[in-house]
């Protein structure tokens, strides 16, 4: 996947998240955005990680459309893990609303077990959000390599370590990471570059077939 950064809406209401969920104000906010598909997106692992991390001042927002009753499963798991005060579920929204809600988050998190190049990851990067990702959510390693994301294995223990690491970072460091994520997205994930890579892959495949 690629992304056309100029067509992505820019945040116009940076207070939207706290107007929607006032209880988040004053906390370090991690946000997942995407289909609420617990297994593929690793959201069960993320909740277990939050419980292990023991970060009472941190909050997790799960933003996105329900997928095959995934939200009900996660809400039940949230209660089992004693995380009701730390986890907020928000419905999927239009692109502009997503941009506004994302503006209130400190860290974007996408703990997929498997993934292509997630458009949600690229959108968060264009919006200059530092990220906590699994290798599946950064498949060519660009965001991790360029310093725009912390990459950890898709397991509760490693995700908990990543949450603690991101929770300990000061805002200036997070801002710098976000700027690096933005630069990576707008330079390495343009549609023109993606198309050129695809054409080159076909050409290389064709040459291999002829040998």
């Amino acid at each position: 996947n690629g992304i056309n950064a100029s067509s992505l809406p820019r945040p116009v209401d940076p207070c939207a998240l706290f107007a929607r969920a006032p209880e988040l104000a004053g906390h370090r906010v991690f946000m997942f955005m995407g289909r609420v598909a617990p297994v593929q997106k690793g959201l069960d692992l993320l909740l277990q990680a939050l419980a292990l991390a023991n970060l009472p001042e941190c909050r997790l927002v799960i933003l996105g459309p329900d997928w095959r009753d995934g939200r009900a499963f996660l809400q039940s798991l949230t209660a089992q893990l004693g995380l009701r005060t730390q986890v907020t579920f928000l419905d999927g929204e239009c692109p502009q609303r997503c941009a506004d809600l994302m503006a209130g988050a400190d860290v974007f998190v996408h703990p997929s077990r498997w993934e292509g190049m997630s458009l949600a990851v690229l959108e968060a990067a264009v919006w200059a959000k530092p990220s906590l990702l699994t290798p599946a959510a950064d498949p060519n390693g660009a965001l991790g390599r360029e310093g725009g994301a912390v990459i950890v294995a898709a397991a509760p223990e490693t995700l908990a370590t990543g949450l603690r690491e991101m929770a300990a970072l000061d805002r200036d460091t997070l801002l710098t990471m976000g700027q690096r994520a933005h630069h990576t997205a707008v330079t390495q994930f343009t549609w023109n570059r993606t198309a050129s890579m695809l054409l080159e892959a076909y050409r290389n495949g064709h040459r291999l077939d002829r040998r």
Side-chain angles (χ1 to χ4, degrees):
N1 277 328
I3 192 164
N4 182 358
S6 64
S7 69
L8 198 64
R10 293 292 186 266
V12 296
D13 183 5
C15 296
L17 180 62
F18 305 109
R20 180 82 173 271
E23 67 276 11
L24 298 174
H27 297 282
R28 175 63 52 91
V29 177
F30 293 83
M31 180 179 285
F32 166 86
M33 180 180 70
R35 280 187 304 116
V36 183
V39 177
Q40 179 188 351
K41 305 299 184 181
L43 297 174
D44 56 332
L45 304 176
L46 181 58
L47 290 177
Q48 293 170 52
L50 183 61
L52 286 173
N54 189 26
L55 297 168
E57 293 306 311
C58 290
R59 298 293 182 265
L60 171 64
V61 176
I62 296 178
L63 167 66
D66 196 10
W67 176 255
R68 297 180 179 176
D69 296 323
R71 182 179 297 169
F73 167 77
L74 293 174
Q75 287 173 329
S76 176
L77 182 58
T78 297
Q80 291 173 31
L81 294 170
L83 296 174
R84 280 179 171 164
T85 61
Q86 286 188 260
V87 182
T88 299
F89 293 86
L90 298 179
D91 292 333
E93 302 276 356
C94 69
Q96 181 61 65
R97 187 67 170 164
C98 285
D100 290 342
L101 292 171
M102 182 65 73
D106 297 296
V107 178
F108 176 75
V109 57
H110 207 84
S112 297
R113 286 182 169 93
W114 70 89
E115 195 70 63
M117 185 64 243
S118 166
L119 288 174
V121 171
L122 292 180
E123 289 170 357
V126 170
W127 289 326
K129 289 299 171 181
S131 295
L132 174 62
L133 307 174
T134 54
D138 186 25
N140 72 353
L143 287 165
R145 186 170 57 250
E146 300 298 332
V150 169
I151 312 299
V152 297
E157 296 79 11
T158 47
L159 282 164
T161 298
L163 289 171
R164 292 190 199 101
E165 179 178 345
M166 299 296 277
L169 296 178
D170 60 63
R171 294 196 178 276
D172 286 343
T173 302
L174 291 177
L175 179 62
T176 298
M177 286 184 66
Q179 291 168 341
R180 290 172 178 165
H182 175 83
H183 179 75
T184 303
V186 300
T187 58
Q188 299 191 37
F189 290 96
T190 65
W191 278 115
N192 282 343
R193 189 171 189 273
T194 297
S196 296
M197 291 170 62
L198 180 62
L199 287 170
E200 186 61 25
Y202 276 118
R203 291 189 189 105
N204 288 338
H206 177 68
R207 284 194 286 269
L208 289 171
D209 289 342
R210 290 174 64 86
R211 291 175 185 173

